[in-house]
Each structure stands twice: as C-alpha cells, then as structure tokens.
C-alpha cells in the first residue's frame, strides 16, 4: 500500500476542520462567559453531562463554590447555569474527540505501514502539541477558580495561540503530502512571508489579550480612540509601567491590537505585490489573492466588532477571520517555500 496516501491527507485535513470548529466553540465560550462553569476536570466521566435534576444541582452547587458565582452571578438560576455549562461542556467534548480522531487513525496508519518515517515524526509532534493544548486549557481555567472571577489573559493567549499553531502545523503537514514536488523558491521572499506570519501571530496573541481583558468594550470608535485621539492617555496611565500598560491595561492592549492591524495589512500588501514577480504556479497566484482578500475582510470585521461593542456573533466571526487569515498565510508560505 502506498505510503502517505490520500487517506492520510484526509485524516490530517479532518483534524484541521475539527480544530477550526474547536476554536469557534472556544470563542463562543469566551464571549458568553461560559468558561468557568465546569470547575473540575474528569477525562472520561466528564464527557457525560448531568443527566437528571440531582446531577444538575450537584454541578450547580460546585459552581457556587467559586469566585465567578460568588462575585458576579449570585443571581443565576439553575436554568441560566445550564446555558453556560453547555458551551464549556461541548468545548471540552470536542477537544477529547479531536484527541481520538488524531490517535486512533494514527495507530491504524502506523500498524498498516501507510506512513513514511518523516510523517510519523511529524504526527507524533502534532499529537504532543494537541496534548499540550489540552493542558493549557485546564491551566487557563484554574486561574479563574482562585480569587477573581476571570481567567488570566496571559493563559488565555497561550491556550488560543497554541490552538492556532496546532492547526497551522497540521495544515502544513497535510500540504507537505498534497504537494510533494519541489518548486522554484526565493529565500528572501520566503523570509518576508515568515516575517508577516510572525506579525500575524503577535496580532493573534493581542487579540487574545483583548478578549481576556474585555478590552473590546472600551474606546468603541474608529479610526481614532475616545475623544478623537490616535492614542488615548488611558493607554499609558492605566498601569504602573509602560510594559504593563501594553500587556495588562485595557486601553494599551486595545491600542496595540488596533495598531498591529495596520501593520498586518501593510505586510500582506507588500507580500502580495512583491510576490507577483515570483509566481510560478496557479496555487501561488491563488494563495496571494486569497491572502489579500482575507486581510481586508478581517480588517473590516475588526472595525465593526469594535464600534458595535463586540456582539457575540460578530466576535466569533472576527475570530474565524483570524483563523482563515492564518490558514491563507500558512498556505502562501508553503507554496513559496517548496
């Protein structure tokens, strides 16, 4: 049987789709403030939600022991608790399902000798990355169970960024199998795309900071911040140090995120126009066109998410836009690298 065949590619792409769904549900979980509704972690039994009134009451009583209920949601009825419980539960179930989808087909492909050695190593790396992502999810939740009713925005950024990186790495391995032939490459242009990818990842991290600090609910104006200012003074006086203002202050973090958006657009415009002279295939042209279209769509989504004060549906769509933009950047880098 041929190694690294179409079944292996479909397996990897299925993993990509599931990670995509996971990120969407994670975004809804965050925007609906559902992430702290399940305050314990049970790998097997946690897959089954409460099945009767007694079990629901036990889950609700457990929730009452932690800061989110005690400081924010003392008014909650058990029906309201069920609403937020659902999103966190489905988020965790999808995470477990992804683990199964990666592990068992990998085992099958390994036993039936359908994987080359490089793909075996890459697949093991992907599973380690996925496992680490699951650990970071629980590490994030733990930060909201101690003394404040919210998770650490640093841990949220780690959790979200690792999900994006896991997707990009899985997509890259699939692309390696889909496009096994070497194309003409330009090292300098490849480095430019890599730099653009780095800026995009930093922007994604700042997007997580904005989400974690609820910084999307301040300065809901564009193109200027409040009072018609490019940078509002609250961006550098909210915290004690300049670094803290731009990593922990709502205004500073939002300013960084909205400013980085311009930088991402500039990078991608440069990549698009510079790349025209290096196009040697239909896929390279398609990659550049997709990248250009998605960056402008994502920019517009970001503006409307801000000025409309982050409605849940638009916040989720904006996160999906970031995911698609990362996909396009990964595809572009791959097509101009190999």
């Amino acid at each position: 049987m041929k190694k690294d065949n179409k079944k292996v590619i479909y397996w990897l792409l299925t993993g990509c789709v599931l990670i995509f769904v996971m990120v969407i549900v994670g975004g809804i979980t965050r925007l609906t403030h559902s992430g702290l509704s399940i305050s314990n972690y049970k790998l097997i039994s946690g897959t089954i939600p409460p099945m009767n009134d007694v079990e629901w009451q036990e889950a609700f009583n457990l929730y009452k022991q932690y800061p989110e209920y005690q400081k924010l949601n003392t008014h909650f009825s058990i029906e309201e608790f069920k609403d937020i419980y659902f999103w966190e539960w489905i988020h965790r179930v999808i995470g477990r399902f992804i683990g199964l989808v990666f592990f068992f087909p990998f085992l099958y492909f390994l036993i039936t000798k359908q994987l080359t050695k490089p793909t075996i190593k890459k697949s093991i790396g992907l599973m380690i990355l996925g496992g680490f992502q699951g650990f970071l999810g629980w590490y994030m939740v733990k930060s909201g169970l101690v003394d404040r009713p919210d998770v650490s925005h640093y841990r949220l950024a780690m959790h979200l960024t690792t999900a994006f990186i896991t997707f990009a790495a899985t997509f890259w391995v699939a692309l390696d199998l889909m496009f096994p032939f070497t194309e003409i490459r330009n090292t300098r242009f490849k480095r430019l795309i890599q730099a653009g990818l780095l800026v995009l990842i930093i922007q994604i991290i700042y997007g997580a900071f904005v989400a974690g600090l609820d910084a999307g609910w301040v300065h809901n104006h564009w193109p200027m911040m409040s009072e018609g200012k490019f940078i509002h003074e609250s961006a550098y006086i909210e915290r004690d140090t300049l670094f803290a203002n731009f990593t922990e202050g709502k205004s500073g973090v939002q300013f960084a995120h909205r400013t980085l958006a311009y930088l991402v657009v500039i990078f991608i415009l440069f990549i698009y126009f510079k790349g025209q002279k290096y196009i040697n295939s239909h896929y390279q042209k398609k990659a550049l066109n997709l990248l250009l279209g998605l960056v402008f769509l994502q920019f517009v989504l970001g503006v409307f998410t801000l000025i409309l004060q982050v409605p849940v549906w638009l916040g989720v769509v904006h996160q999906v836009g970031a995911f698609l933009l990362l996909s396009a950047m990964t595809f572009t880098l791959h097509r101009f690298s190999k």
Side-chain angles (χ1 to χ4, degrees):
M1 188 176 291
K2 183 183 176 183
K3 294 192 176 185
D4 291 348
N5 53 44
K6 284 186 177 180
K7 288 188 288 185
V8 177
I9 295 171
Y10 291 147
W11 164 58
L12 291 167
L13 291 178
T14 299
C16 289
V17 171
L18 287 173
I19 295 170
F20 174 67
V21 172
M22 179 82 163
V23 169
I24 292 175
V25 174
I28 297 172
T29 302
R30 174 63 201 168
L31 289 165
T32 55
H33 301 285
S34 304
L36 295 175
S37 56
I38 305 176
S39 44
N40 57 12
Y41 188 83
K42 297 177 180 178
L43 184 61
I44 306 301
S45 60
T47 306
I48 303 171
M51 301 300 290
N52 53 54
D53 291 342
V54 173
E55 291 180 0
W56 272 115
Q57 192 60 54
E58 289 175 355
F60 191 31
N61 289 339
L62 182 62
Y63 177 65
K64 288 179 179 179
Q65 297 174 24
Y66 294 95
E68 184 172 83
Y69 176 82
Q70 295 168 355
K71 296 183 180 181
L72 290 180
N73 293 334
T74 52
H75 61 284
F76 257 33
S77 67
I78 196 165
E79 294 304 317
E80 289 172 305
F81 169 70
K82 287 179 181 180
D83 288 340
I84 63 170
Y85 187 100
F86 168 78
W87 288 113
E88 176 62 11
W89 173 76
I90 196 70
H91 186 55
R92 295 189 185 193
V93 168
I94 294 171
R96 291 178 174 92
F97 183 63
I98 291 173
L100 296 176
V101 167
F102 266 96
F103 180 72
F104 286 108
F106 170 73
L107 210 57
Y108 167 75
F109 290 135
L110 193 63
I111 292 170
T112 55
K113 298 180 179 179
Q114 295 184 52
L115 302 173
T116 60
K117 284 186 179 180
T119 303
I120 292 171
K121 291 178 181 178
K122 292 173 187 176
S123 299
I124 292 172
L126 292 176
M127 286 189 288
I128 291 171
L129 199 54
F132 182 59
Q133 161 70 1
F135 163 75
L136 286 176
W138 177 237
Y139 181 63
M140 176 189 70
V141 168
K142 282 184 68 178
S143 67
L145 301 177
V146 183
D147 54 9
R148 66 189 189 99
D150 211 349
V151 300
S152 161
H153 70 291
Y154 290 118
R155 297 189 189 186
L156 172 65
M158 290 166 64
H159 183 51
L160 179 66
T161 306
T162 306
F164 275 75
I165 290 172
T166 303
F167 165 83
T170 306
F171 188 38
W172 187 274
V173 176
L175 289 172
D176 277 346
L177 305 186
M178 293 164 65
F179 299 97
F181 303 107
T182 302
E183 296 180 5
I184 299 170
R185 68 180 184 180
N186 183 285
T187 304
R188 291 181 68 182
F189 185 59
K190 176 185 173 182
R191 287 174 182 167
L192 174 64
I193 302 172
Q194 288 173 330
L197 179 60
L198 178 61
V199 172
L200 178 59
I201 289 173
I202 294 171
Q203 173 68 326
I204 289 168
I205 292 170
Y206 261 96
F209 283 178
V210 169
L213 293 169
D214 291 331
W217 281 272
V218 298
H219 306 297
N220 300 107
H221 313 277
W222 188 84
M224 299 299 175
M225 298 179 81
S226 298
E227 301 170 20
K229 297 177 180 178
F230 175 68
I231 178 168
H232 195 264
E233 59 269 16
S234 56
Y236 44 84
I237 63 172
E238 202 171 334
R239 292 290 185 268
D240 294 333
T241 66
L242 189 64
F243 180 78
N245 273 304
F246 288 98
T247 54
E248 298 175 6
K250 291 185 179 183
S251 296
V253 162
Q254 192 201 101
F255 174 77
H257 189 52
R258 58 199 291 163
T259 305
L260 278 167
Y262 293 110
L263 188 58
V264 170
V265 171
I266 290 168
F267 253 102
I268 290 178
L269 280 172
F270 194 42
I271 289 168
Y272 177 80
F273 289 111
K274 188 82 171 173
Q276 298 305 309
K277 64 181 180 180
Y278 299 121
I279 292 175
N280 289 302
S281 73
H282 165 72
Y283 286 110
Q284 289 176 332
K285 184 177 181 179
K286 193 172 183 178
L288 291 174
N289 289 339
L290 193 62
L291 194 59
L292 185 67
L294 283 172
V295 76
F296 281 110
L297 175 62
Q298 177 65 349
F299 188 89
V300 171
L301 286 172
V303 170
F304 278 100
T305 302
L306 179 66
I307 62 178
L308 295 177
Q309 299 183 37
V310 201
V312 172
W313 71 270
L314 192 51
V316 172
V317 172
H318 184 48
Q319 185 162 299
V320 169
F323 201 97
L324 295 177
L325 187 56
L326 178 67
S327 304
M329 187 70 91
T330 304
F331 183 58
T332 303
L333 178 59
H334 194 277
R335 288 299 73 229
F336 282 95
S337 296
K338 299 187 177 185

